[in-house]
Amino acid sequence: RHRVFPVRQGPEARAIAADVKQNLEKIRHHGKSADGNVKGMLEHSRAGSGQKPLVDLNVMADKFLKLSYHGLRAKDKSFNAELVTHFDPDLPKVNVVQQDMGRVLLNLFNNAFYAVNQKSKTAGADYKPEISVTTAIENRQVIIKVKDNGSGIPDAIKEKIMQPFFTTKPTGEGTGLGRSLSYDIVVKGHGGNITVDTKEGEFTAFMVKLPVA
């Protein structure tokens, strides 16, 4: 037998709707507050060092690429991926806060490895996970491109991926702050730019551009 539940109407329905609306406002408020706190800590960290020495981004990118790869391999021995690097030998050094830029690179690499690892669980035997890292100099800007052949990002959410607390990972596997903080570090902290090119089901490529002094 099917049970029929009465539809609430009138004052009771309005009270429930008001409660839902109030709860959503609280969630939005606390979300913004948490975002502000995290970014405040980041600014405090940056202010604490404030040093932007000249850094070889080829060396830094290679270091964090291997760190990210071996970190994932430590958790999952069955995971393998081809690492392809195209480092411009004439890449000029740039002034960066090393700790902050290290966070950006590690976030980009971790996300790339996550994407190909997830795809490898459902793709056929012919699928070969690959992460490529390219550096170049163009128009007085140093470019770092991180590309993976994972599942890509759907067009419907591509514009949201830099927003705080937005994540495509399952609950408990991502905070949704990595890309947002990376954006702030690159754009607000270093006067650069970060963009994404992606095709659902095929690839994702993040491009970081930093000005040369």
Side-chain angles (χ1 to χ4, degrees):
R1 296 175 61 185
H2 295 288
R3 298 178 63 189
V4 178
F5 294 92
V7 178
R8 292 187 174 95
Q9 298 178 345
E12 186 178 4
R14 286 194 292 270
I16 292 173
D19 284 343
V20 171
K21 183 178 180 180
Q22 187 177 34
N23 287 336
L24 287 173
E25 285 297 322
K26 287 180 180 179
I27 292 170
R28 190 170 69 90
H29 170 76
H30 289 299
K32 285 186 175 182
S33 177
D35 177 44
N37 289 338
V38 171
K39 290 182 178 178
M41 287 188 286
L42 181 64
E43 291 296 330
H44 178 72
S45 170
R46 184 179 297 121
S49 59
Q51 300 298 315
K52 289 184 179 179
L54 281 171
V55 173
D56 186 335
L57 286 178
N58 284 339
V59 173
M60 180 177 276
D62 187 57
K63 170 187 173 183
F64 282 99
L65 176 65
K66 292 173 180 175
L67 181 67
S68 177
Y69 179 63
H70 291 300
L72 197 154
R73 287 270 297 161
K75 297 177 183 177
D76 183 358
K77 297 291 186 184
S78 66
F79 174 74
N80 282 291
E82 183 176 359
L83 310 183
V84 181
T85 56
H86 303 283
F87 293 145
D88 186 344
D90 298 319
L91 196 74
K93 293 183 177 181
V94 292
N95 294 98
V96 300
V97 179
Q98 294 188 68
Q99 182 180 6
D100 287 353
M101 197 52 59
R103 288 172 179 165
V104 172
L105 292 173
L106 200 57
N107 177 256
L108 292 177
F109 296 146
N110 285 345
N111 284 340
F113 283 122
Y114 179 87
V116 298
N117 191 27
Q118 291 300 110
K119 185 173 180 177
S120 67
K121 295 176 181 179
T122 56
D126 291 338
Y127 175 66
K128 305 297 181 186
E130 180 181 296
I131 308 295
S132 68
V133 184
T134 304
T135 62
I137 175 71
E138 183 179 301
N139 298 326
R140 298 294 298 167
Q141 288 184 314
V142 164
I143 299 170
I144 307 170
K145 183 179 179 180
V146 180
K147 184 177 181 179
D148 68 72
N149 64 342
S151 298
I153 302 170
D155 288 339
I157 64 173
K158 191 171 72 171
E159 300 302 320
K160 301 177 182 179
I161 60 174
M162 296 296 180
Q163 295 177 5
F165 301 105
F166 184 84
T167 180
T168 57
K169 297 176 182 177
T171 302
E173 291 190 32
T175 62
L177 285 170
R179 293 192 189 101
S180 172
L181 291 178
S182 293
Y183 182 87
D184 281 356
I185 289 171
V186 172
V187 177
K188 298 178 183 178
H190 292 83
N193 190 25
I194 181 168
T195 57
V196 61
D197 181 25
T198 183
K199 185 172 182 180
E200 188 174 1
E202 294 189 19
F203 74 90
T204 298
F206 280 91
M207 188 177 297
V208 174
K209 295 183 179 181
L210 297 169
V212 177

